[in-house]
Amino acid sequence: MKIIMHGAAKEVGKSCIEISTEKKRYLLDAGVKFIQHGVEYPKELDKIYDLDGLFLSHAHLDHSGALPMLEHKNMNCPIYTTHLTWEITNMLLEDSYHLEKLKHIHPAYDHRDIQKVKSDLRFITYDKEYTTHDSKIKFQNLNAGHIPGSASILMNIEGMNVLYTGDINTEDTNLMVPSELPQLTTPIDIMITENTYGDRRHPNREDSEQGLIDSIHTCIRDGGSALVPVFSVGRSQEILMILDKLDKNIPIYLDGMPRKLTEKVLRSDDKYIDNKAVLERVFKRAILVENPRERLHIAKKKGIVIVSSSGMIQGGPVVSYCDIFIHNRENYVLLTGYQANGTNGRSMFEDHMFYKDHKRYPVKCHVRKFDFSAHYGQTRIHKLIEKINPKHLILQHGDSGAIDAVAAWIKNNPEIKSKVYTPGIGEVMNFEKE
C-alpha cells in the first residue's frame, strides 16, 4: 500500500491524501488553499478518472473545495461522507463559486460540476461499519468533534488498520461533543493526524470565553459597539452560544452566511451537536440583518454586538462594517480565531491597518484576539499519540514548525514506538502488513 501527499504536507490547506493499493486508488479529502490571488488545488494528482473512492471528513473548503475541480476532470467514483457534511459543503461551494466570479477569478470548474458532486455521494452514519462499493475497504466514521458533520475515518485496508483523524478536537466546547478517539481500543497500524497547533498550547477555554464577554461589556460601558468576525461553519455557532452569557439588554446582530448555517445546524439531527437548546435560544434573540443596505445604519449604532463573516475580514459583510467601525476609538473588533499572513485580521491586530480596494486605512478602534480553535492543541495531540501509539505515524496539516515540534517530542519519548513520517508534497510512503 502507498500513501501519497497531494496537499496539507507541511502546510495548512488543500488537504488531499491518496491511498493506493495494488489495483485501487482512494482519496482522503479534496481541499483547496486560499492564496492572495486565488486558490491552489491539490498537486501531482493525475488520472483522476481512475479513482475508486473519496472519503470526505468535513465541510471546510480546505478539505472539500477541490471536489468540483475533480468532477470537471471526470472523476467518477463514490464520495463517502455524512449527510450534514454535504449539506454544509454544498453551501460553501456555491458561495465560493459566486465570490470567485465576483472577483473575476476564473474557477477551475463550471457550476454544473457542483451539481455533479451530488450524484456521486454515498451518505454515511456515524459509528456504523461500511464496505466500499468495490468491497476492498471496511470503514467507519467516528465523531471528530471539530465542526457539525465532521468525522475521523477508521479503515481496514489490505489487513492494516488506518486511522485518518481529519481535523479533530478532543476538548469539550459549547457546540460539539468532543472526539472519543482517546478511548479507541482498535490497534492502529497507520495513523494520519493533523498538527495545526503542534507547536503551541491553547489558552484555558473558560478564560477565553470570559475575556470575550468582559471585552464586550467594557466596550459598551465606554460608549462603543463590538464587531465579532467569525468563520461561518462551527465558529459562528460557538460564538453565538458564548454570547448567550451577555447582559440580556445588549442587542446582538447576526449577518452573512452564519445565519443560514446556524439554521441548518438547528434543523440537523446530528447526535454530536451539543447544547442545541442554547444555540436556539440565542439565535431567537439575535436580530437578523435582512438587507445589505441596513449595514451602514447598524454600524453607526452604539451599545450593540455584530456577529458577521468572514473570520479573517477578507470578505463578507464584516468588511462593510469595518468601513465605519475602525474610525471610532470606543469600538472594539474582537477576533475569534487564527489570522493568516496577508489578511485584514492579521494586519488589524498587529499593525492597526485595514486594507480595501488597494488602499489602507489606520485602525483607531480597539482590536483584540481570542483563541476559540476547533482543532486540538499541542497537549492533546501528545496525549492522543501516546494513547494510540500506532506503528506508523504520519504528521500533516500543520506548518513546518508545528510538524517538527511534534516529531521532536516523539523522538525524546522512547515509550512511543511509532515510526514517524513528516512528508512533503508529492512524497510517497510505502507500507506492508507486518
Side-chain angles (χ1 to χ4, degrees), residues 150-400:
S150 62
S152 299
I153 304 167
L154 177 62
M155 297 168 278
N156 185 273
I157 309 171
E158 295 187 329
M160 290 182 282
N161 290 325
V162 179
L163 175 63
Y164 175 53
T165 67
D167 289 0
I168 179 179
N169 194 5
T170 58
E171 183 178 356
D172 197 16
T173 63
N174 292 285
L175 179 65
M176 296 297 299
V177 174
S179 167
E180 295 182 348
L181 282 188
Q183 283 75 55
L184 188 67
T185 58
T186 304
I188 300 300
D189 296 291
I190 304 169
M191 176 171 157
I192 308 168
T193 188
E194 66 132 318
N195 286 264
T196 313
Y197 290 89
D199 56 350
R200 55 203 185 277
R201 299 178 180 180
H202 293 315
N204 180 278
R205 196 170 188 90
E206 291 182 0
D207 291 344
S208 296
E209 292 186 11
Q210 192 59 51
L212 180 68
I213 295 298
D214 289 346
S215 293
I216 294 172
H217 283 152
T218 299
C219 167
I220 291 175
R221 182 197 65 204
D222 293 343
S225 287
L227 177 63
V228 187
V230 290
F231 306 107
S232 296
V233 186
R235 189 64 49 81
S236 60
Q237 292 78 39
E238 177 77 11
I239 294 302
L240 283 172
M241 295 166 84
I242 295 169
L243 296 184
D244 186 57
K245 302 171 186 176
L246 282 175
D247 290 347
K248 301 305 179 187
N249 61 337
I250 297 177
I252 300 171
Y253 287 81
L254 182 63
D255 198 355
M257 186 175 282
R259 287 184 48 190
K260 293 181 180 178
L261 282 166
T262 301
E263 290 171 344
K264 189 167 290 294
V265 168
L266 287 172
R267 290 196 300 267
S268 171
D269 60 357
D270 189 310
K271 65 181 180 180
Y272 292 117
I273 297 173
D274 210 0
N275 303 310
K276 195 179 286 187
V278 176
L279 180 60
E280 186 169 19
R281 180 172 65 235
V282 71
F283 187 65
K284 287 180 178 178
R285 171 184 171 182
I287 301 166
L288 307 181
V289 181
E290 303 286 355
N291 192 319
R293 288 176 295 199
E294 298 176 35
R295 290 169 187 154
L296 179 62
H297 174 68
I298 294 169
K300 294 178 179 178
K301 286 177 174 284
K302 302 297 182 184
I304 67 170
V305 179
I306 304 168
V307 178
S308 180
S309 55
S310 65
M312 296 186 195
I313 319 181
Q314 283 299 92
V318 73
V319 174
S320 298
Y321 290 112
C322 281
D323 284 341
I324 306 298
F325 241 73
I326 62 172
H327 304 295
N328 188 324
R329 298 181 187 276
E330 287 74 38
N331 286 343
Y332 281 52
V333 174
L334 303 172
L335 304 170
T336 60
Y338 177 73
Q339 306 296 313
N341 280 324
T343 63
N344 260 321
R346 184 74 162 260
S347 175
M348 290 170 67
F349 181 64
E350 293 186 347
D351 304 320
H352 274 256
M353 298 300 298
F354 172 70
Y355 293 83
K356 185 179 180 183
D357 298 329
H358 307 291
K359 296 180 181 179
R360 67 176 193 168
Y361 304 89
V363 176
K364 299 178 181 178
C365 68
H366 300 267
V367 181
R368 294 184 179 174
K369 183 175 178 292
F370 299 90
D371 185 347
F372 294 106
S373 177
H375 300 263
Y376 66 173
Q378 185 186 66
T379 300
R380 291 179 182 266
I381 292 172
H382 292 176
K383 288 182 178 179
L384 185 64
I385 292 171
E386 287 176 328
K387 172 62 176 64
I388 300 294
N389 207 358
K391 293 178 182 177
H392 302 275
L393 177 64
I394 300 173
L395 304 177
Q396 52 92 50
H397 198 290
D399 62 28
S400 294

Side-chain angles (χ1 to χ4, degrees), residues 8-15 32-33 62 195-196 375 397-399:
K10 297 183 179 178
E11 66 175 354
V12 176
K14 59 179 188 289
S15 285
V32 296
K33 182 177 182 178
D62 63 324
N195 286 264
T196 313
H375 300 263
H397 198 290
D399 62 28

